[in-house]
Amino acid sequence: RKFAMSKVVFSQETIETLANAVPVEPVRQSDFKAALKACIDSLQNQARKAITLRYEDDLRPGKIADELEMTPNAVSILLHRTRKALAQCVQDTMEGDAKR
């Protein structure tokens, strides 16, 4: 139970090794990036700001909470829901492009 809520953190080297283990076509990767950008652009203002602060500015939920005048818990929930929505949006976009 103690470890069930723990975050698993991988080193950058591990992430790169995993990413390189799965061959990705360069075109597919650029399609993914384009889909992700379009999906981020379609986010509502607060969700987009939270994602930007987290991944571009590398801020933790506590600092994001200060910026957005929210509680850290609310920020964590917002980030979780936004990541889930982005994943679904990118998947839908990529599947739509593949059918064309």
Side-chain angles (χ1 to χ4, degrees):
R1 188 175 193 187
K2 178 180 175 183
F3 296 108
M5 298 290 247
S6 298
K7 290 183 181 179
V8 177
V9 180
F10 295 108
S11 69
Q12 186 63 32
E13 181 181 327
T14 302
I15 292 170
E16 289 174 10
T17 301
L18 289 170
N20 292 332
V22 179
V24 178
E25 299 172 21
V27 173
R28 183 160 168 81
Q29 191 174 33
S30 66
D31 290 346
F32 174 82
K33 287 179 181 179
L36 180 59
K37 182 176 179 351
C39 291
I40 290 172
D41 289 345
S42 72
L43 291 174
Q44 291 184 4
N45 197 26
Q46 193 170 35
R48 187 176 331 118
K49 179 93 171 153
I51 288 292
T52 300
L53 290 170
R54 179 65 187 104
Y55 295 103
E56 288 184 17
D57 299 340
D58 198 29
L59 296 181
R60 298 284 177 208
K63 295 286 186 183
I64 296 170
D66 293 341
E67 290 281 328
L68 299 180
E69 298 179 356
M70 299 171 70
T71 66
N73 191 44
V75 169
S76 293
I77 292 169
L78 175 63
L79 287 170
H80 173 76
R81 290 178 179 165
T82 303
R83 284 190 296 262
K84 192 173 178 179
L86 282 172
Q88 186 64 52
C89 177
V90 168
Q91 182 178 352
D92 292 348
T93 302
M94 297 289 288
E95 287 174 358
D97 288 348
K99 290 180 182 177
R100 291 182 195 163

